[in-house]
Amino acid sequence: GYEMFMETRTAEGPLAIYEVCVENSSSWYIDGFGYTDWVEIKNISSEQVDLGEYYLSDDSTDLTA
């Protein structure tokens, strides 16, 4: 939950998870998908970050080699 997220979050950069919404049922409706969960990622560095090699997953077996 939120309390654990706030207690354990550390930001060493360049990216930080800034906001998380799980079990969304009332905001950010997307046509064709409905109310989806979302994560806000913030670049906390002063440099541009290429997101091409990043991904998010809720499946612990979904790892790339």
Side-chain angles (χ1 to χ4, degrees):
Y2 178 77
E3 291 83 15
M4 180 178 280
F5 172 72
M6 293 304 291
E7 288 174 11
T8 60
R9 83 175 182 171
T10 58
E12 297 177 10
L15 301 174
I17 294 177
Y18 219 64
E19 291 187 54
V20 176
C21 179
V22 296
E23 298 184 22
N24 179 21
S25 62
S26 62
S27 64
W28 295 97
Y29 183 86
I30 300 173
D31 288 338
F33 294 98
Y35 293 105
T36 62
D37 301 341
W38 53 268
V39 175
E40 180 179 320
I41 300 171
K42 183 175 183 178
N43 180 354
I44 59 173
S45 74
S46 60
E47 303 295 322
Q48 291 185 353
V49 177
D50 178 3
L51 299 179
E53 299 297 319
Y54 289 86
Y55 70 96
L56 293 174
S57 176
D58 59 359
D59 182 346
S60 63
T61 64
D62 188 15
L63 302 174
T64 60

